Amino acid sequence: MLNSEKTMIAIEEMYQLFPTAHGELTHQSSFELLIAVILSAQATDVSVNKATPALFAAYPTPQRLADAPIEDIIQKIKTIGLYRNKAKNIKACAQQLLDNFHGEVPQTREELMSLAGVGRKTANVVLGDAFGIPAIAVDTHVERVSKRLRICKLNANVLEVEDTLMRKIPKELWVKTHHTMIFFGRYHCLARAPKCDICPLLSMCQEGKDRMKLAK
């Protein structure tokens, strides 16, 4: 496994590759971000961004979304995977914001995770992107990159990956690193066709070196 020093060397290389890495879900408020992240579970950001403009235009506040008929919500997000369950979750989430948080998005992980459709990853995204609170959200890209580079153990679960990253990366860099690792995994270290042949981290990646040997 990479120690903290080598982990940061790898992360710095990712910063160089993707200096403007950022969250790609379109939103204008913490409420819109919360709903967009809930909708993004097992779906692409692109698909969510296509559906949310009409959704947010129709239901711009927690009150409007909570009051909306479930079938109307479904019609606006039916192009997104798992749309029926997600429609129920975002309607319930909006009602919980009204009932428990005066219509405002809470700013602690525990409170966020009390909302329908919100797990630890979603909570961490909202903390970092909406409020600038240090957090690392471990999605499929972050997990894949962490394991390929042996930043964490290969058999680590999602929480263990998060804990390892938080231990090895300075707190003030958590949000930046989260976005950069997602970009690196989404656009460079892809699941099925990683760009090992042009990767500046190849010397640190045993899986990549093995892949290159097999390609010869």
Side-chain angles (χ1 to χ4, degrees), residues 108-140:
T108 71
R109 183 181 292 109
E110 292 73 20
E111 289 174 323
L112 283 165
M113 289 178 65
S114 73
L115 300 170
V118 178
R120 188 178 181 89
K121 181 183 76 172
T122 295
N124 283 346
V125 172
V126 174
L127 289 175
D129 286 6
F131 304 117
I133 297 171
I136 296 177
V138 179
D139 71 350
T140 180

Side-chain angles (χ1 to χ4, degrees), residues 148-214:
R148 279 183 172 170
L149 289 172
R150 304 299 192 267
I151 293 172
C152 67
K153 295 178 180 178
L154 289 176
N155 63 350
N157 60 35
V158 173
L159 185 57
E160 289 169 338
V161 174
E162 181 184 335
D163 287 342
T164 301
L165 290 171
M166 290 192 299
R167 192 169 63 249
K168 293 183 175 182
I169 296 165
K171 191 172 185 177
E172 65 271 17
L173 294 175
W174 286 356
V175 176
K176 178 181 179 180
T177 297
H178 153 72
H179 287 308
T180 304
M181 291 184 76
I182 288 175
F183 266 54
F184 185 74
R186 184 176 288 163
Y187 302 116
H188 185 86
C189 190
L190 291 76
R192 295 184 180 178
K195 301 176 182 179
C196 301
D197 56 323
I198 58 170
C199 185
L201 297 176
L202 182 61
S203 64
M204 305 175 74
C205 180
Q206 187 59 51
E207 182 174 330
K209 287 186 281 190
D210 292 343
R211 191 183 297 270
M212 291 303 292
K213 287 180 183 178
L214 289 173

Side-chain angles (χ1 to χ4, degrees), residues 38-137:
I38 293 172
L39 295 177
S40 72
Q42 294 180 272
T44 66
D45 288 357
V46 172
S47 69
V48 174
N49 287 339
K50 288 180 179 178
T52 50
L55 179 73
F56 295 150
Y59 317 121
T61 65
Q63 187 70 66
R64 293 280 291 277
L65 183 57
D67 291 343
I70 191 70
E71 288 302 323
D72 289 358
I73 299 173
I74 286 173
Q75 285 303 310
K76 288 182 170 55
I77 66 168
K78 63 190 299 184
T79 56
I80 302 173
L82 307 175
Y83 61 89
R84 288 190 178 278
N85 193 50
K86 289 177 181 178
K88 294 176 183 177
N89 279 338
I90 63 173
K91 180 176 169 67
C93 176
Q95 188 62 56
Q96 288 173 301
L97 291 177
L98 296 168
D99 292 344
N100 303 330
F101 303 105
H102 309 288
E104 299 293 327
V105 177
Q107 298 186 32
T108 71
R109 183 181 292 109
E110 292 73 20
E111 289 174 323
L112 283 165
M113 289 178 65
S114 73
L115 300 170
V118 178
R120 188 178 181 89
K121 181 183 76 172
T122 295
N124 283 346
V125 172
V126 174
L127 289 175
D129 286 6
F131 304 117
I133 297 171
I136 296 177

Side-chain angles (χ1 to χ4, degrees), residues 12 33 134 182:
E12 291 286 352
L33 176 62
I182 288 175

